[in-house]
Amino acid sequence: DHRDLHSFPTRRSSDLESAYPSTPASGQVLFQAKFNTSDANFAWEEWVIKNSESSIVWNRGVTSFGTKTSAEIWSLTVTMGKA
């Protein structure tokens, strides 16, 4: 199933930063979200780009980013487009 995050119950969604999504001259689309000290303090194993109105997942990645703690602010940036 590729419709959402799989690591329930440790999941946290975040809105995109105000300047995103952005479309640089390369034709790619950049997405960026910030997770403050009180957000998403657990092991990060996956991410999704999901339309908040339709709940359609546009992209999903599975990778181990490590464990975020309350002493850290993390930003996640995803680039989509032609390889």
Side-chain angles (χ1 to χ4, degrees), residues 8 22 33 39-40 43 51 56 59-60 65-66 75 78 80 83:
F8 183 79
S22 68
D39 297 329
N51 183 302
I56 293 173
N59 201 350
R60 178 176 178 264
F65 291 101
S75 288
V78 175
M80 290 175 52

Side-chain angles (χ1 to χ4, degrees), residues 4-79:
D4 208 346
L5 293 169
H6 291 250
S7 58
F8 183 79
T10 57
R11 66 168 123 185
R12 171 71 169 91
S13 62
S14 180
D15 293 331
L16 293 176
E17 292 279 42
S18 62
Y20 292 87
S22 68
T23 52
S26 64
Q28 298 174 322
V29 180
L30 303 176
F31 299 87
Q32 184 173 349
K34 182 168 86 173
F35 297 83
N36 289 310
T37 55
S38 62
D39 297 329
N41 295 315
F42 46 76
W44 286 29
E45 302 294 333
E46 63 179 324
W47 56 266
V48 296
I49 303 293
K50 181 168 80 171
N51 183 302
S52 62
E53 293 180 16
S54 68
S55 294
I56 293 173
V57 171
W58 293 345
N59 201 350
R60 178 176 178 264
V62 178
T63 189
S64 180
F65 291 101
T67 300
K68 182 185 170 302
T69 71
S70 61
E72 302 170 310
I73 296 173
W74 282 15
S75 288
L76 177 66
T77 303
V78 175
T79 303

